[in-house]
Amino acid sequence: MAGRFSGRRILVTGGAGFLGSHLCERLLEEGAEVLCVDNYFTGRRNNIAHLLGNPLFEAMRHDVTFPLFVEVDGIFNFACPASPVHYQSDPVATTKVSVHGAINMLGLAKRLKCPILQASTSEVYGDPTMHPQPEHYWGHVNPIGPRACYDEGKRCAETLFFDYYRQHDLAIKVMRIFNTYGPRMHPNDGRVVSNFIVQALKNEPITIYGDGEQSRSFCYVDDLIEGALRLMASSAEVTGPINIGNPNEFTIKQLAEAVIRLVGSKSELIRMPLPQDDPKQRRPDITQARQVLKWEPTIQLDEGLLKTIKYFDELLNN
């Protein structure tokens, strides 16, 4: 099907990851030729196995902390472990992939004179003192804490993107991704949605950190990818940063109760201490996305959870 990216060769770094694999799939549907690059630190071959037979799809094993020499018409930079379990397992590598990876991909985009989109994160806001979080908010981040490798790595990547934009007139796009969930999430990534679903399907106790009153907003993956595509296809003067996420806010306890209800599980809730620097609240202000991209999420929590539960149920039973 021809679409916004028809006939263009698009590089997706982190393309075998949760978000990257969905992005590769959608780009192919849009008629693009897709080069998927991943070092498989958190990405998985199973996520892209169904795409390998497509003549417009190519998978390359590569670590973006090293330069990449390819010819493409656009770059989506999604390479980086995104869950605390994974990014804290090797914090130095996490900072390297955010910073060195950004430098290498920006250098490639500069050489090719092609647009590049950075998958940034709501973690740039840290544990916010402003709620909900608009793009002009500078954040409240602990620069030496256990989450800093990811938070500050992504903040530095944004700095680099805007410096390349100002210094080299590079066509950049920066999207700040809020909590996203859906099929192909890593079952052991330690994130609340995957944790709760796996525990509920096994009728195991569901682990809540703290009192469960901390809040999050959960965006279904299909909505998130549509936001990324709209941002990349937007006019050159639209650089971002733009928040992409679902503004409906739920406490962690409410999420756990919803998962138990939808699974029909016998799981009970147990409480554990809250991790250091864990944000108390997180909700995007998506005014810019609505106005500039004409984007807002269409899939609400119950519908998205049912699709995600189905995926994990099949995964656990195979």
Side-chain angles (χ1 to χ4, degrees), residues 278-309:
D278 193 59
K280 311 293 185 300
Q281 51 189 7
R282 187 64 62 69
R283 175 161 69 94
D285 179 334
I286 62 166
T287 304
Q288 271 204 66
R290 285 183 171 129
Q291 292 176 349
V292 177
L293 305 179
K294 304 293 184 277
W295 175 91
E296 62 182 312
T298 60
I299 297 170
Q300 297 310 327
L301 190 63
D302 274 20
E303 182 186 354
L305 283 176
L306 285 169
K307 294 172 186 279
T308 312
I309 288 164

Side-chain angles (χ1 to χ4, degrees), residues 18-19 22 122 175-183 185 191-193 216-228 243-250 255 282-284 286 289 295-305 307-308:
F18 162 47
L19 295 180
H22 283 277
S122 62
M175 67 182 294
R176 290 179 177 163
I177 298 171
F178 282 69
N179 289 56
T180 306
Y181 69 100
M185 290 185 84
R191 297 194 220 187
V192 285
V193 174
R216 295 291 184 273
S217 303
F218 301 99
C219 185
Y220 188 67
V221 61
D222 290 358
D223 284 331
L224 186 283
I225 298 304
E226 178 61 26
N243 290 337
I244 301 291
N246 192 317
N248 291 335
E249 190 175 9
F250 299 89
L255 174 69
R282 187 64 62 69
R283 175 161 69 94
I286 62 166
W295 175 91
E296 62 182 312
T298 60
I299 297 170
Q300 297 310 327
L301 190 63
D302 274 20
E303 182 186 354
L305 283 176
K307 294 172 186 279
T308 312

Side-chain angles (χ1 to χ4, degrees), residues 41-309:
F41 178 63
T42 57
R44 294 180 297 165
R45 294 180 186 278
N46 283 348
N47 289 341
I48 56 169
H50 64 296
L51 304 177
L52 293 172
N54 189 322
L56 295 178
F57 182 76
E58 180 184 354
M60 176 190 295
R61 187 185 190 106
H62 180 79
D63 184 332
V64 296
T65 60
F66 297 94
L68 180 63
F69 302 99
V70 294
E71 304 296 320
V72 294
D73 303 310
I75 302 167
F76 286 84
N77 187 35
F78 273 64
C80 189
S83 72
V85 166
H86 291 141
Y87 68 64
Q88 290 173 357
S89 70
D90 192 341
V92 172
T94 297
T95 302
K96 281 182 175 179
V97 75
S98 289
V99 179
H100 293 184
I103 290 168
N104 287 329
M105 291 306 108
L106 286 162
L108 178 62
K110 180 189 167 194
R111 178 176 71 81
L112 298 174
K113 297 181 172 59
C114 74
I116 179 169
L117 182 145
Q118 166 70 358
S120 191
T121 171
S122 62
E123 294 295 332
V124 300
Y125 300 121
D127 188 5
T129 56
M130 181 180 285
H131 192 72
Q133 294 80 57
E135 290 88 350
H136 62 77
Y137 174 54
W138 288 357
H140 179 231
V141 174
N142 176 0
I144 59 169
R147 301 172 73 101
C149 58
Y150 186 67
D151 301 7
E152 296 288 34
K154 289 288 193 177
R155 284 161 71 95
C156 185
E158 287 196 11
T159 300
L160 286 160
F161 265 69
F162 278 90
D163 284 339
Y164 267 77
Y165 168 69
R166 287 184 287 258
Q167 190 172 337
H168 302 297
D169 197 27
L170 190 64
I172 66 159
K173 311 283 183 182
V174 174
M175 67 182 294
R176 290 179 177 163
I177 298 171
F178 282 69
N179 289 56
T180 306
Y181 69 100
R184 298 187 209 139
M185 290 185 84
H186 200 294
N188 301 316
D189 68 4
R191 297 194 220 187
V192 285
V193 174
S194 48
N195 269 6
F196 289 178
I197 290 175
V198 170
Q199 289 169 334
L201 286 168
K202 293 179 176 179
N203 288 304
E204 295 175 352
I206 286 184
T207 310
I208 288 181
Y209 294 93
D211 59 8
E213 293 304 313
Q214 63 271 39
S215 70
R216 295 291 184 273
S217 303
F218 301 99
C219 185
Y220 188 67
V221 61
D222 290 358
D223 284 331
L224 186 283
I225 298 304
E226 178 61 26
L229 294 174
R230 288 194 189 194
L231 179 55
M232 185 59 129
S234 64
S235 57
E237 63 268 17
V238 179
T239 60
I242 288 189
N243 290 337
I244 301 291
N246 192 317
N248 291 335
E249 190 175 9
F250 299 89
T251 67
I252 298 301
K253 186 168 179 283
Q254 286 174 326
L255 174 69
E257 290 167 347
V259 168
I260 289 170
R261 169 172 54 82
L262 294 170
V263 170
S265 174
K266 298 182 176 66
S267 295
E268 296 180 352
L269 304 183
I270 58 169
R271 286 175 168 76
M272 300 284 282
L274 195 65
Q276 183 183 340
D277 300 331
D278 193 59
K280 311 293 185 300
Q281 51 189 7
R282 187 64 62 69
R283 175 161 69 94
D285 179 334
I286 62 166
T287 304
Q288 271 204 66
R290 285 183 171 129
Q291 292 176 349
V292 177
L293 305 179
K294 304 293 184 277
W295 175 91
E296 62 182 312
T298 60
I299 297 170
Q300 297 310 327
L301 190 63
D302 274 20
E303 182 186 354
L305 283 176
L306 285 169
K307 294 172 186 279
T308 312
I309 288 164

Side-chain angles (χ1 to χ4, degrees), residues 25-42:
E25 200 169 60
R26 281 292 304 278
L27 285 165
L28 290 168
E29 289 172 8
E30 294 262 344
E33 183 180 343
V34 176
L35 173 59
C36 163
V37 166
D38 208 297
N39 69 346
Y40 301 104
F41 178 63
T42 57

